[in-house]
Amino acid sequence: MFKNIACFLFALTLIFSCKAQNEVVLSKDNGTNTNATRLVVGIVVDQMRYDYLTRFYNKYGEGGFKRMMNEGFNCKNNHYNYVPTYTGPGHASVYTGTTPKYHGIIANDWYDKEIKKSVYCAGDDSVQSVGAVTEDGQMSPHRMKATTFSDENRLFTQMRGKTIGISIKDRGAILPAGHTANAAYWFYGKDKGYFITSTFYMTALPNWVNEFNNSKVAESYLKPWNTLFDISTYTESGSDLNDFEGTFKGKETATFPYDLGTLKDKNGGFDIIKTTAYGNSIVADFAIAALSGEQIGQDTDIDVLAVSFSSTDYVGHKFGVNSKEIEDTYIRLDKDLERLFNALDAKVGKGAYTVFLTADHAAVDVPAYLKSVKIPAGYVDTNSFKDKLSAFMLAKFGASDLVENISNNQIFLNRTQINKLDLDLDDVQEAIVNEIIGYEYIDKVYTATTINSTSFTEGIEALLQKGHNQKRSGDVLFVYDAAYISYSKTGSTHGSGFDYDTHVPLLFFGNGIKHGETFQKTEIIDVAPTMSALLGISFPNGAIGQPLEFVFR
Ligand SMILES: [Zn+2]
């Protein structure tokens, strides 16, 4: 009898443990409990450093960044795994799960070897502007060689799941939305203050966008910009008046408040909004309007809403990462995120959507400021660099036209001239490496041949390799010393492989995501495979990242 009871209990345990296991397996097979997910919201914050989450933590409310951290999963050691760390490549890499080596977006602008002129990552002469009569609207993702996870979601749902991209910057809306997007909308300032698109997506703006534009939302932001809280409580940033910040034309000092109504005429009309915290607010307004306007997240076919906040980058470039302006911009962005999440709760439903938030790159502290506190930093004089290199080429090869272009820390050689003079391409590349490694502030130099023929697994060499597209990139790649930039003496910039440019936030929250955090290293190329795995759809066609399964519930 006792033996039978034991057997019975053992069988019961088996049944229950099998059932429990089955549930886990089942939910994983279904794409980790995506039955209720109707919408994926991808948020990219342009130029957001990881430490903005921690530095301004005490200033954030409960409904924005903290809601993501408290309810969702925080990958605290997330990095870009290639150079250059710019906006175009960043947005492409987040959504394709691969790097410039494969998706081909090697910079924002790059020298096109075939047509021998500079091209823009989202520029497309074959399409027209919709909403503004200018080249500002001649944009599409045609230069991006890979699919995004939003493209794969469109294919998976037989085009029933929608994709909408929204940003101040065209490239911030277009690249995430991918090739099959229903729409990408971006901000056109000047005398309009409108959101526009291109004929790549549609021939006329939908009614809801016209209504938004005509409601003069942009005009409502041409008001004084002052700090949200008393400026004396902004103890997490440098003093408001210092030598490290640029300012608006028509204002003597980079100090609060900024009267945008009077400053707008000398600063590009509505474009001034881009370089203030209000640029993020209008993007949040537009994204919230899109939820109803585009009927996003209203049925069982999963939609993707890609929102990119660009003003953080404009503010960082003008005022620097340690400014009061950047602190206020993040405090206000936190409020805009809260508004967006509240709207998602109301219109899509709590727990019926999944969000990720990351950045397209981070940024360096203003080198002049770093220098003032004894940290090695400074500025590179690119003109003297070019002059020295020209003189060398003339002396060594007797030709002044062998270097065709220098951009994005790469040197492009004139192949036709090299052949004509019967020179060896490798020899010319090597000679340049040996020459410029002796130049001031140049830390490392490599030939494209080395980068393409060696398999690097770590360090700057691996980052250069993953950012180097054999067909599109240059012949010689050089790296400046840490915190040395080719930029104005005020404000911050980015582009390098140093941690200050590569370390960005990665937060997941909502349906299918568990609460937690990790310092385990993750890479930006993991985001798209993670979203694909969550949705149970194909990975983007060039994806090389790993699904971060520890974030799944
Ligand atoms: Zn930037």
Side-chain angles (χ1 to χ4, degrees):
M1 183 67 190
F2 177 76
K3 200 180 162 194
N4 280 345
I5 287 174
C7 280
F8 176 70
L9 284 176
F10 180 66
L12 256 183
T13 318
L14 262 182
I15 289 164
F16 275 106
S17 65
C18 280
K19 188 164 183 287
Q21 239 178 15
N22 253 344
E23 273 170 5
V24 173
V25 172
L26 261 180
S27 80
K28 268 199 179 155
D29 276 353
N30 281 350
T32 317
N33 195 19
T34 55
N35 285 343
T37 290
R38 289 194 232 128
L39 173 64
V40 170
V41 183
I43 299 173
V44 175
V45 182
D46 204 315
Q47 206 192 101
M48 184 169 182
R49 290 163 55 108
Y50 168 75
D51 70 351
Y52 290 155
L53 283 180
T54 49
R55 187 145 68 96
F56 306 138
Y57 185 86
N58 291 330
K59 291 285 192 299
Y60 293 144
E62 295 303 315
F65 289 117
K66 273 192 191 170
R67 180 169 172 195
M68 295 196 80
M69 287 186 266
N70 292 337
E71 294 177 26
F73 204 98
N74 187 355
C75 298
K76 298 167 135 184
N77 191 18
N78 183 61
H79 289 260
Y80 272 81
N81 64 336
Y82 63 83
V83 283
T85 41
Y86 296 140
T87 292
H91 283 80
S93 301
V94 169
Y95 283 81
T96 62
T98 189
T99 69
K101 178 177 178 177
Y102 300 104
H103 63 56
I105 302 297
I106 57 169
N108 292 330
D109 300 272
W110 67 85
Y111 181 72
D112 186 316
K113 292 189 256 193
E114 275 172 45
I115 58 172
K116 298 200 181 293
K117 64 175 189 183
S118 181
V119 294
Y120 175 59
C121 61
D124 186 349
D125 293 342
S126 74
V127 300
Q128 298 304 314
S129 164
V130 174
V133 198
T134 81
E135 67 282 1
D136 290 36
Q138 291 189 282
M139 304 289 165
S140 86
H142 76 110
R143 286 198 171 87
M144 186 167 67
K145 294 173 161 193
T147 61
T148 60
F149 82 82
S150 37
D151 282 324
E152 297 301 333
N153 182 58
R154 292 274 287 157
L155 291 169
F156 186 86
T157 61
Q158 304 304 318
M159 302 290 155
R160 290 188 301 265
K162 277 189 147 186
T163 307
I164 305 290
I166 293 169
S167 178
I168 288 281
K169 291 183 183 175
D170 47 52
R171 58 188 181 278
I174 290 166
L175 300 173
H179 305 277
T180 57
N182 300 77
Y185 302 107
W186 57 94
F187 188 72
Y188 176 79
K190 296 185 181 145
D191 57 334
K192 294 275 195 292
Y194 288 171
F195 278 86
I196 65 167
T197 186
S198 83
T199 52
F200 180 79
Y201 304 99
M202 61 191 80
T203 52
L205 288 172
N207 282 341
W208 76 268
V209 176
N210 282 325
E211 277 167 27
F212 184 93
N213 287 339
N214 293 333
S215 68
K216 300 193 187 310
V217 181
E219 212 162 289
S220 73
Y221 288 116
L222 291 175
K223 60 181 180 181
W225 175 25
N226 209 342
T227 52
L228 185 66
F229 306 127
D230 188 332
I231 196 163
S232 67
T233 66
Y234 283 28
T235 52
E236 300 80 6
S237 45
S239 62
D240 197 21
L241 183 63
N242 61 63
D243 296 335
F244 315 117
E245 302 181 19
T247 187
F248 292 111
K249 285 179 193 142
K251 189 159 186 338
E252 296 243 313
T253 58
T255 49
F256 281 105
Y258 297 93
D259 185 0
L260 306 185
T262 51
L263 290 170
K264 74 170 193 311
D265 292 337
K266 286 185 174 162
N267 296 275
F270 284 100
D271 280 321
I272 195 172
I273 294 170
K274 294 178 180 176
T275 315
T276 72
Y278 301 143
N280 296 322
S281 301
I282 199 169
V283 165
D285 296 339
F286 192 78
I288 290 166
L291 295 179
S292 312
E294 301 281 354
Q295 291 292 301
I296 296 170
Q298 297 305 312
D299 55 35
T300 51
D301 290 307
I302 295 164
D303 299 327
V304 176
L305 175 64
V307 184
S308 176
F309 292 101
S310 317
S311 289
T312 39
D313 182 67
Y314 290 108
V315 173
H317 277 295
K318 192 178 272 304
F319 303 101
V321 304
N322 198 43
S323 61
K324 294 274 186 257
E325 286 80 359
I326 210 76
E327 176 162 5
D328 192 64
T329 297
Y330 277 90
I331 290 170
R332 288 176 185 271
L333 174 60
D334 183 58
K335 299 277 178 258
D336 289 324
L337 288 175
E338 180 169 354
R339 278 198 301 130
L340 179 59
F341 296 154
N342 289 343
L344 287 164
D345 289 344
K347 290 184 179 161
V348 181
K350 250 186 187 172
Y353 61 92
T354 308
V355 185
F356 71 82
L357 182 147
T358 186
D360 55 348
H361 54 77
V364 68
D365 249 303
V366 178
Y369 167 67
L370 291 176
K371 255 178 112 162
S372 77
V373 293
K374 301 182 186 170
I375 291 173
Y379 299 88
V380 179
D381 180 353
T382 46
N383 285 332
S384 99
F385 177 101
K386 281 179 188 171
D387 292 346
K388 268 169 91 174
L389 181 59
S390 296
F392 167 76
M393 296 303 277
L394 191 62
K396 174 94 182 168
F397 299 106
S400 57
D401 54 358
L402 291 182
V403 172
E404 212 164 68
N405 178 274
I406 304 177
S407 53
N408 303 311
N409 290 20
Q410 297 182 5
I411 296 169
F412 293 79
L413 295 174
N414 185 333
R415 309 285 176 105
T416 321
Q417 273 310 94
I418 285 171
N419 286 337
K420 220 168 156 183
L421 295 173
D422 207 21
L423 295 166
D424 182 79
L425 181 65
D426 287 353
D427 289 348
V428 180
Q429 288 183 353
E430 279 297 338
I432 293 174
V433 168
N434 290 328
E435 165 68 8
I436 68 175
I437 190 63
Y439 292 5
E440 228 181 355
Y441 316 130
I442 296 279
D443 187 40
K444 290 182 171 59
V445 193
Y446 303 90
T447 66
T449 309
T450 306
I451 291 296
N452 283 318
S453 60
T454 320
S455 191
F456 298 105
T457 52
E458 59 180 25
I460 184 66
E461 294 85 0
L463 272 66
L464 287 167
Q465 187 165 52
K466 292 193 178 80
H468 191 269
N469 188 281
Q470 195 172 9
K471 210 170 168 80
R472 293 182 174 174
S473 299
D475 292 288
V476 175
L477 298 76
F478 53 89
V479 178
Y480 295 136
D481 285 328
Y484 275 78
I485 59 174
S486 163
Y487 196 68
S488 71
K489 300 255 159 61
T490 55
S492 289
T493 194
H494 49 86
S496 81
F498 292 103
D499 280 65
Y500 53 71
D501 280 340
T502 65
H503 193 188
V504 294
L506 178 58
L507 297 162
F508 295 91
F509 113 107
N511 192 280
I513 304 296
K514 74 175 173 205
H515 176 53
E517 58 181 45
T518 184
F519 270 112
Q520 180 184 319
K521 191 163 186 179
T522 57
E523 293 181 328
I524 206 66
I525 53 168
D526 299 333
V527 177
T530 301
M531 297 323 288
S532 289
L534 186 75
L535 301 181
I537 63 174
S538 287
F539 288 16
N541 61 16
I544 52 173
Q546 284 289 320
L548 304 173
E549 55 187 330
F550 48 81
V551 311
F552 296 150
R553 185 173 280 151

